[in-house]
Amino acid sequence: MLGLVVPEQGKSRAEPGGMDKLKRVLSGQDTDDQGRLAEVIDATSLGWGTRVKGFIACFAIGCLFSVLGSCLIWIPGKGLMLFAAFYTLGNIASIGSTLFLMGPMKQLKRMFEPTRLIATVVMLLCLILTLCSAFWWAKKGLVLIFCILQFFALAWYSISFIPFARDAVKKCVSVCLS
């Protein structure tokens, strides 16, 4: 029996080796592994309870950072830089909290849908410009302007997930302005 390899029942001896299978997968010729990929994704996905806990924890950290940043603004000298950093990190954590509920790919797809594209781009641009104006340009006025724009862009982005919320806000603003 030494050296004799007996194939398992239902498998042939001509089954390709690991390298051949890898070549087929990478070239797109292997189609029987689609079920395995789905199994791996299902096995590594989080349960609903874990997702909710992750969302709450990440959102709470985001709120904590934003409030901490607002408190740090009053520190002489470096206060504005600390405010910009913590406020921006708080907003990033708040946005990141929704990754737990939707998953990363679905979140990215929804962020860049045509209805949210402008709000997403403005929000991400304001996040970057806030940090640039605090750390590289050292312009306090720009930091405050970009933080305010960050707030409004994030609010507009967030309400885009609520049906008819944007229309209600537009109508409310138009009534207040007229």
Side-chain angles (χ1 to χ4, degrees):
M1 285 281 198
L2 283 174
L4 181 63
V5 177
V6 180
E8 292 180 23
Q9 192 172 359
K11 290 190 176 183
S12 69
R13 284 183 185 232
E15 186 174 271
M19 191 55 105
D20 291 335
K21 188 168 187 164
L22 179 62
K23 287 179 185 175
R24 285 189 306 137
V25 169
L26 293 176
S27 66
Q29 296 172 349
D30 192 25
T31 58
D32 68 330
D33 280 78
Q34 296 298 328
R36 291 183 188 155
L37 179 62
E39 286 177 26
V40 169
I41 290 172
D42 287 341
T44 58
S45 66
L46 301 174
W48 183 247
T50 306
R51 287 175 182 252
V52 171
K53 289 174 189 172
F55 167 77
I56 291 170
C58 202
F59 189 76
I61 289 170
C63 291
L64 178 69
F65 275 17
S66 295
V67 169
L68 183 61
S70 298
C71 293
L72 293 174
I73 197 169
W74 305 111
I75 294 176
K78 302 276 184 192
L80 197 60
M81 288 182 3
L82 291 171
F83 165 70
F86 277 96
Y87 187 77
T88 301
L89 286 174
N91 283 341
I92 291 170
S94 295
I95 295 166
S97 67
T98 58
L99 292 173
F100 285 99
L101 296 179
M102 289 188 238
M105 292 310 296
K106 190 173 180 182
Q107 172 73 13
L108 286 174
K109 286 178 186 176
R110 293 191 75 187
M111 281 178 78
F112 292 100
E113 287 177 349
T115 57
R116 292 183 192 92
L117 183 62
I118 294 173
T120 300
V121 170
V122 169
M123 178 184 56
L124 294 175
L125 190 62
C126 286
L127 292 171
I128 293 166
L129 290 174
T130 300
L131 295 175
C132 287
S133 61
F135 292 105
W136 288 284
W137 306 328
K139 302 287 185 184
K140 295 178 180 181
L142 282 178
V143 170
L144 293 175
I145 289 171
F146 288 131
C147 281
I148 291 168
L149 290 174
Q150 230 186 91
F151 172 79
F152 285 117
L154 183 61
W156 191 251
Y157 168 78
S158 298
I159 66 171
S160 72
F161 287 98
I162 303 168
F164 306 110
R166 284 187 184 187
D167 294 333
V169 169
K170 286 179 189 177
K171 189 170 184 169
C172 183
V173 168
S174 67
V175 166
C176 291
L177 293 177
S178 56

